[in-house]
Amino acid sequence: MAIEIPAAAGTAEALVARPSTVTGPVPGVIFYMDAFGLRPRIQEMAQRIADWGYVVLAPNVFYREGSVAELAPVGDMSTQEGREAAGRAAFPRVARLTPDKAMPDIEAWLSALAGLDGVALGPVGTTGYCMGARLAVRTANSHPDVVAACGGFHGGGLATDQPDSPHLGLSKARSRFVFGHADHDRSMAPDAVARLGAALKAAGLEASNEIYAGAPHGYTMADTSAFHPEATERHFQELQALLDSTLKG
């Protein structure tokens, strides 16, 4: 199901996934896409999460750049060459989605999720992939009374030396966190993983902060050459445990 959301700088498209069998109000989850945007793979992943008993909202966080159709990857990303070509188009958009733009949008995503039919009152969860992991953490940091669970998978730039690095806001969060980092990831090297872990510990947060051995950056994305089935299944298992224990416990 596709909807439109009034966001900070215009109208944003979003995908909504609902449980296939569960009835009645269920917790809500915001799904932050990777750099390649909303597409069938994101819908598949959102639906799998929804079928655990959640309403899932996946916004087009690049709405300033164009519609979902206009930004859709061109070519076959299942080859290394195709993925690199898609990246050359997508990565400049990532750089342009600065925190000063992302933060007002987060308010819109949370408001839209709360307003969806079938979303229960109470805390929500969020999960993010690639650059979406940064948005997930920023959502948890900025809305500690709303976000109870935060997952980040093959995320990049979560703990940098920049003054707006996401890890610096963890002292404000109250979420439980699960991170599944890619192995040998230049955007999240072992020293950055350690920095993130230290920030989580200093904030007194319950968290898992693991490197998935052998899993490349982008490992959950089955429509790309980075897909790693074992790491993907591990991520789904750990994400479900996180969401169920925080939102259904």
Side-chain angles (χ1 to χ4, degrees):
M1 172 182 173
I3 65 170
E4 293 185 340
I5 298 172
T11 300
E13 297 163 279
L15 300 175
V16 176
R18 300 179 182 278
S20 298
T21 57
V22 177
T23 59
V26 297
V29 175
I30 295 180
F31 183 121
Y32 288 111
M33 64 196 196
D34 67 346
F36 298 129
L38 297 185
R39 58 196 193 280
R41 175 55 179 167
I42 301 301
Q43 181 71 65
E44 291 169 3
M45 295 173 70
Q47 188 60 54
R48 179 162 175 178
I49 295 168
D51 285 337
W52 301 336
Y54 300 96
V55 173
V56 182
L57 175 72
N60 173 24
V61 302
F62 295 139
Y63 70 95
R64 292 175 179 84
E65 306 273 350
S67 68
V68 169
E70 290 168 341
L71 302 180
V74 177
D76 181 5
M77 294 194 297
S78 68
T79 68
Q80 183 66 25
E81 295 79 8
R83 183 169 179 264
E84 289 175 357
R88 287 192 290 272
F91 296 154
R93 295 195 287 266
V94 175
R96 289 191 290 268
L97 185 59
T98 52
D100 65 302
K101 295 177 180 177
M103 296 306 295
D105 289 338
I106 287 171
E107 300 284 348
W109 314 145
L110 288 170
S111 178
L113 179 66
L116 291 174
D117 290 341
V119 174
L121 295 175
V124 304
T126 183
T127 185
Y129 302 83
C130 181
M131 60 89 197
R134 294 198 295 273
L135 298 175
V137 174
R138 294 192 194 283
T139 302
N141 292 349
S142 60
H143 293 82
D145 295 330
V146 177
V147 181
C150 180
F153 301 95
H154 50 84
L158 294 170
T160 71
D161 57 5
Q162 298 300 307
D164 60 358
S165 177
H167 80 291
L168 296 176
L170 287 169
S171 60
K172 301 175 183 177
R174 298 180 189 169
S175 297
R176 181 180 169 199
F177 289 83
V178 169
F179 293 102
H181 303 290
D183 201 356
H184 295 93
D185 189 346
R186 290 179 295 178
S187 68
M188 196 66 190
D191 62 328
V193 174
R195 191 180 302 123
L196 176 62
L200 291 163
K201 183 176 181 180
L205 296 167
E206 185 177 355
S208 173
N209 185 43
E210 301 291 333
I211 295 175
Y212 288 7
H217 184 84
Y219 60 77
T220 64
M221 298 301 158
D223 57 352
T224 79
S225 60
F227 182 53
H228 190 290
E230 293 79 12
T232 297
E233 288 307 307
R234 177 180 173 182
H235 130 270
F236 276 125
Q237 292 171 11
E238 294 186 1
L239 178 60
Q240 183 174 11
L242 168 70
L243 296 176
D244 287 355
S245 64
T246 54
L247 303 181
K248 296 181 179 179

